Amino acid sequence: MTVYDADFWERHYGTLDPTWGTAPNPAVSATVPRLRLPAGRALELGAGHGGDALWLAGRGWSVTALDVAQTAVDRVAHRAAALGLADRVRAARRDLTVDPVPPGPFDLVLGSFFYVPARETVWRRAADAVAPGGVLLIVDHGSVAPWAWDPSAHRPPTPEELAESLELGPQWLPEILESPKRDATGPGGRRAEVVDTIVAMRRQHQG
Ligand SMILES: C[S@@+](CC[C@H](N)C(=O)[O-])C[C@H]1O[C@@H](n2cnc3c(N)ncnc32)[C@H](O)[C@@H]1O
């Protein structure tokens, strides 16, 4: 059985085309404008090659982009510098299963296809870093693509199930729970329709 630990991700990025994942995920670029957040401070968990972080920085956000793979972190920093965004992107290596989440506060904490063991625990810790009025945004797989690493994987949770599993408490309200479909291109140019899961939870100001 594959263990998705730091060594796995380091090997993965070592063989991955450095341009892969440098564009924002469609669910992120479509959802963030709907959150009506002024460009502020953002934290991305499992930023990979930084497509989402760099897109946010290009729109005026100050982004902390964390990933367990040093290769990915170095590439994000390099790309941010090449795009003239170095002052808005702080890329750093963190193993978020053990390392603390930066305290923030952040106006937006996001993760796209961020898979770690016991991830609800990591999300809950990350939620603590969201400022009142801010948003925790999770983009996940809502279907199992034909090219998925584990095509026998169980049915992914619905947005409602995912939101409930976070157990964030009464200070949080679900704002967007959606499952949009999109055409995706997998390895070797294979195309398929896939479903994204979008969960946007807003932290309420205390009354
Ligand atoms: C499927 S990739 C998604 C990358 C990026 N968010 C995207 O959408 O292209 C999952 C990412 O989570 C990172 N990751 C996995 N375990 C992690 C951990 N324990 N701490 C921090 N990042 C981790 C991986 O290195 C990888 O970049």
Side-chain angles (χ1 to χ4, degrees):
M1 200 174 110
T2 311
V3 179
Y4 297 102
D5 59 6
D7 288 343
F8 169 87
W9 289 107
E10 203 58 68
R11 283 196 305 275
H12 173 67
Y13 283 105
T15 59
L16 195 62
D17 173 352
T19 62
W20 190 92
T22 54
N25 284 295
V28 170
S29 55
T31 303
V32 169
R34 295 170 59 197
L35 300 174
R36 303 177 316 280
L37 288 168
R41 294 182 68 201
L43 170 68
E44 181 168 16
L45 312 181
H49 276 163
D52 296 332
L54 294 162
W55 178 82
L56 283 167
R59 274 146 193 82
W61 288 79
S62 263
V63 190
T64 300
L66 305 180
D67 202 283
V68 74
Q70 187 65 52
T71 304
V73 168
D74 291 345
R75 287 178 181 164
V76 173
H78 186 263
R79 202 166 177 86
L83 294 169
L85 296 170
D87 57 336
R88 292 216 205 114
V89 178
R90 179 180 162 262
R93 184 189 178 278
R94 295 282 184 284
D95 180 348
L96 290 158
T97 57
V98 291
D99 294 328
V101 171
F106 296 97
D107 307 291
L108 176 67
V109 171
L110 81 154
S112 308
F113 312 110
F114 172 54
Y115 291 108
V116 287
R119 66 180 181 156
E120 283 79 10
T121 312
V122 180
W123 281 121
R124 265 194 293 281
R125 286 197 287 118
D128 287 342
V130 175
V135 172
L136 178 69
L137 174 61
I138 302 175
V139 171
D140 206 347
H141 293 297
S143 63
V144 182
W147 52 79
W149 291 341
D150 180 7
S152 66
H154 295 300
R155 175 183 72 80
T158 64
E160 291 76 10
E161 289 167 343
L162 178 53
E164 216 167 290
S165 72
L166 301 173
E167 298 177 348
L168 292 181
Q171 220 195 325
W172 292 84
L173 287 182
E175 189 156 307
I176 297 174
L177 301 175
E178 291 179 2
S179 303
K181 293 178 180 163
R182 67 181 159 90
D183 291 325
T185 306
R190 194 170 168 193
R191 297 186 65 82
E193 187 180 74
V194 298
V195 179
D196 288 330
T197 290
I198 302 175
V199 172
M201 305 289 292
R202 190 171 304 260
R203 184 176 204 157
Q204 305 302 297
H205 292 275
Q206 262 159 344

